[in-house]
């Protein structure tokens, strides 16, 4: 179970701090309307992701007898994670939108996250297979992975809102790039581990 908790922690932190539409909205809403608005945007995945997670797990459960397909999905997930990890080494400082939109922050966050392809790609190629595998090992490992992932994801977004509400220097400093580089290394390790699992499922090792 420890392995899945650590995986959820790394993936959640990486997703939470990585630049993207939702992160930009968290910062812009915070700068324009205060940290409460940023907090509401940060909570959007708690609303949008449940149907995505359930649909991904249902789809993957129908493929549970087809190891070759699951192995291929794991390899795609490995490529996704490795791409995320490598991208962390060259991340620029985070920039807010020049013309931040008006309030209704939660509704905007829900719309942005639901229309973004990132949650769908993650849960079909990475989160879903990992949750399915965790469930096969322990009835506590799967919910532990999901819980840790969202604790870190939402926690990171809330932290960014607090930083943006303060000075925002972390988002433009060396410390941010070092933190992203460290997470990038951890993601690359996870990606290689997922590739190994995929090759094993396909019967090549």
């Amino acid at each position: 179970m420890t392995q899945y908790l650590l995986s959820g922690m790394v993936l959640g932190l990486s997703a939470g701090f990585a630049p993207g539409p939702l992160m930009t909205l968290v910062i812009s809403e915070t700068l324009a309307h205060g940290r409460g608005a940023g907090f509401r945007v940060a909570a959007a995945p708690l609303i949008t992701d449940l149907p995505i997670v359930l649909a991904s797990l249902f789809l993957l459960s129908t493929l549970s007898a087809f190891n070759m397909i699951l192995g291929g999905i794991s390899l795609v997930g490995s490529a996704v994670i490795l791409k995320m990890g490598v991208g962390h080494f060259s991340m620029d400082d985070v920039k807010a939108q020049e013309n931040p939109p008006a309030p209704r922050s939660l509704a905007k966050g829900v719309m942005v996250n639901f229309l973004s392809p990132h949650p769908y790609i993650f849960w079909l190629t990475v989160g879903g297979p990992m949750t399915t595998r965790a469930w096969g090992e322990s009835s506590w490992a799967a919910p532990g992975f999901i819980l840790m992932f969202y604790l870190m994801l939402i926690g990171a977004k809330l932290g960014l809102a607090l930083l943006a509400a303060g000075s925002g220097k972390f988002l433009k400093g060396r410390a941010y790039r070092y933190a992203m580089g460290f997470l990038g290394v951890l993601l690359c390790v996870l990606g290689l581990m997922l590739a190994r699992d995929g090759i094993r499922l396909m019967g090549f090792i």
Side-chain angles (χ1 to χ4, degrees), residues 8-24:
M9 181 178 70
V10 172
L11 290 169
L13 284 174
S14 172
F17 283 121
L22 191 62
M23 183 185 192
T24 300

Side-chain angles (χ1 to χ4, degrees), residues 37-141:
F39 288 173
R40 288 190 288 276
V41 175
L46 297 178
I47 299 173
T48 59
D49 284 19
L50 180 60
I52 298 172
V53 173
L54 293 177
S56 299
L57 293 177
F58 174 76
L59 178 61
L60 291 169
S61 69
T62 64
L63 303 175
S64 59
F66 304 95
N67 284 349
M68 286 293 290
I69 297 176
L70 286 177
I73 291 174
S74 292
L75 290 178
V76 173
S78 168
V80 170
I81 292 181
L82 286 171
K83 183 179 179 181
M84 288 169 55
V86 171
H88 276 49
F89 299 129
S90 57
M91 281 186 176
D92 297 325
D93 297 339
V94 178
K95 297 179 177 63
Q97 295 173 345
E98 292 183 1
N99 299 305
R104 294 184 62 221
S105 303
L106 179 59
K108 291 177 202 166
V110 167
M111 182 177 66
V112 165
N113 201 55
F114 194 74
L115 295 177
S116 170
H118 298 144
Y120 301 92
I121 294 172
F122 174 81
W123 281 105
L124 279 172
T125 61
V126 180
M130 195 167 288
T131 303
T132 302
R133 195 158 51 250
W135 186 265
E137 296 184 15
S138 167
S139 58
W140 291 102

Side-chain angles (χ1 to χ4, degrees), residues 14 81 84-86 88-89 179-189:
S14 172
I81 292 181
M84 288 169 55
V86 171
H88 276 49
F89 299 129
M180 289 297 100
F182 177 69
L183 284 173
V185 171
L186 295 180
L187 282 173
C188 288
V189 172

Side-chain angles (χ1 to χ4, degrees), residues 3 75 78 190-201 205:
Q3 171 192 346
L75 290 178
S78 168
L190 281 176
L192 292 174
M193 291 173 61
L194 193 60
R196 179 202 60 192
D197 292 341
I199 293 171
R200 184 174 294 162
L201 280 169
I205 59 173

